[in-house]
Amino acid sequence: MKASHLSEQLADIQGMLGSGYGWLKTSRFWLLTIKSGREDDARAWLAELVDKKLVVSAADVRKSRKHPVDDAVAIAFSYLGLAKLGCDETAAHPFPSPFSSGMGCDLRALLLRDSPREWRWSDVEGGAGGPVHVLVGEWRMRRSAAEMASAPEKSAELDPDPDVFDVIKVDNDPLRLPAKGGRRGRKIV
């Protein structure tokens, strides 16, 4: 069976693989660990992100030159995350060793000369903060105070359920630069 040309598969490829979303000025990321017994709820929440068209494809990004993308979501899984959700590798289709051993493994630390490790999270059992199963990234246009006051936060629909996931949230607003002395600086517009 002949494989499709890559350009014919852009609708099935996440947009972040085709763009860094440089025009979207804020981002936030959730590092999620699926709680035991809540795998079905986690699958349902992830499916909802896709069903609501929040996950942007490479085809959407390509079209964005004419119709800009204002919000984008991407989902990534660790090996342990895929296993937790029931995606097993097979002898015919194994995962690559670097993926299955994880970035948090001791071998990866040696290969990358990444020592000492002071990570807040990891993708392996026994790592800092427990294993991260899913990473959800969101990029958005920076909204003015008036826009935020007049319309509810669209991304609130992304917030993961703390009964389903242990959550580490990282917000990023590159337009707020730290001032000297480590204090929050003034906004640069």
Side-chain angles (χ1 to χ4, degrees), residues 51-115:
D51 292 345
K52 288 182 175 180
K53 307 284 188 221
L54 295 173
V55 178
V56 174
S57 73
D60 296 330
V61 170
R62 183 172 273 186
K63 289 181 221 168
S64 73
R65 292 182 181 114
K66 294 178 184 169
H67 305 286
V69 172
D70 291 337
D71 299 287
V73 171
I75 303 171
F77 298 93
S78 67
Y79 172 78
L80 291 176
L82 290 177
K84 183 86 170 169
L85 292 170
C87 299
D88 297 322
E89 62 183 323
T90 65
H93 301 286
F95 292 119
S97 295
F99 177 67
S100 58
S101 63
M103 286 300 294
C105 78
D106 293 336
L107 175 60
R108 203 75 47 238
L110 283 170
L111 292 172
L112 298 174
R113 297 183 182 156
D114 186 14
S115 183

Side-chain angles (χ1 to χ4, degrees), residues 125-168:
E125 291 288 349
V132 170
H133 296 137
V134 184
L135 179 137
V136 177
E138 175 196 26
W139 296 264
R140 296 182 303 130
M141 293 294 289
R142 194 156 194 279
R143 296 170 49 183
S144 70
E147 288 173 317
M148 290 192 293
S150 68
E153 186 65 45
K154 178 181 177 182
S155 61
E157 59 192 310
L158 283 178
D159 290 341
D161 183 344
D163 292 332
V164 176
F165 302 99
D166 288 325
V167 179
I168 298 173

